Amino acid sequence: MKVPQAFLCSLTEYFQEMEQRGKLPKTDFECLALTIFSSAFGYTFLWASFDKELFEIDMDHYIKQSVSLFIRGIEEGEIRD
């Protein structure tokens, strides 16, 4: 449990620092960190469990597309309830 929590805390702190520097809009950084962590963990788990039986998206493509989607989403601004 320490590794996921440490990763989430570090990522949240990174987002907060980037917001202070004017690089990110103010948003729920804990939720954002959890979303990114969950996505990466989910892909890794599914890939390790099912290989290409479940999907054929290779890791490099997944990473590039995920990063692009997250960046565009973050640039849109605050998460609305």
Side-chain angles (χ1 to χ4, degrees):
M1 210 53 166
K2 289 181 182 182
V3 172
Q5 188 60 39
F7 179 82
L8 290 169
C9 286
S10 295
L11 194 53
T12 300
E13 289 171 5
Y14 171 78
F15 291 145
Q16 290 168 339
E17 175 68 25
M18 291 299 104
E19 189 263 333
Q20 290 173 357
R21 293 183 185 192
K23 303 289 184 183
L24 290 176
K26 179 92 172 121
T27 192
D28 184 340
F29 296 123
E30 287 184 59
C31 185
L32 181 59
L34 183 58
T35 300
I36 291 172
F37 177 76
S38 298
S39 178
F41 181 81
Y43 177 88
T44 303
F45 173 79
L46 293 172
W47 182 79
S49 298
F50 301 103
D51 196 26
K52 294 193 180 224
E53 292 177 37
L54 186 60
F55 55 86
E56 294 187 17
I57 300 171
D58 72 348
M59 192 173 295
D60 287 338
H61 181 73
Y62 173 77
I63 291 169
K64 288 176 186 172
Q65 290 298 308
S66 295
V67 169
S68 176
L69 289 168
F70 282 121
I71 289 172
R72 286 196 319 251
I74 293 170
E75 287 175 344
E76 289 295 317
E78 188 174 338
I79 298 171
R80 294 169 180 85
D81 290 331

